[in-house]
Amino acid sequence: MVSGIRGAGVQRATTAPFAEHVKVPATTKALAELAMTGGASSVVFLPEQGVAAQSWSFPYKTGLPKQMNVPQPPRGPLRGTVIVNVSGHTNGGVVDRACAWAEQAHAARGVKPGDDARAFVALRAACER
């Protein structure tokens, strides 16, 4: 459920109340700027305020995952904010536009890409042809 909108159409979905990390606004701004200048897509996890964590990532082509060390996890679930930005490499060419049109047409009928992964992959392949 979307509970708010952040600048440039960024949506915020919450699953439970928690103390959002103070770096969320600066991180969303920085990732948006990277995408606008051709940066790769990225996923960042910021734990809720008050949870100490060390995180690191590896160069893009290594295939290694991002990692996070939480020395003293909170009692109960570890909550936080996941920030995902689009790739600045996406050019919005005919393949992207055709696929987006097909996704919107399906969504108008209540079908989302995540509902059927095989159908979505087939749709993308058809658009690429």
Side-chain angles (χ1 to χ4, degrees):
M1 142 170 101
V2 175
S3 64
I5 303 289
R6 303 225 180 188
V10 177
Q11 296 180 344
R12 178 178 177 208
T14 58
T15 57
F18 70 100
E20 184 175 272
H21 199 286
V22 297
K23 291 185 179 179
V24 169
T27 302
T28 55
K29 183 178 183 218
L31 289 177
E33 289 170 0
L34 282 172
M36 296 300 288
T37 57
S41 64
S42 187
V43 177
V44 176
F45 177 76
L46 295 173
E48 68 182 311
Q49 194 65 34
V51 174
Q54 300 127 357
S55 61
W56 56 96
S57 60
F58 301 96
Y60 181 65
K61 299 215 181 225
T62 64
L64 296 171
K66 292 181 177 184
Q67 297 181 17
M68 178 174 279
N69 181 26
V70 182
Q72 294 185 354
R75 290 187 172 176
L78 173 63
R79 299 195 186 282
T81 302
V82 176
I83 303 170
V84 182
N85 73 311
V86 299
S87 173
H89 302 131
T90 302
N91 63 8
V94 68
V95 171
D96 294 319
R97 291 193 311 267
C99 191
W101 174 84
E103 287 179 33
Q104 289 175 350
H106 281 79
R109 295 180 179 88
V111 179
K112 295 178 277 190
D115 290 344
D116 185 344
R118 286 188 179 139
F120 177 73
V121 170
L123 169 65
R124 179 74 185 181
C127 291
E128 289 172 347
R129 281 193 299 274

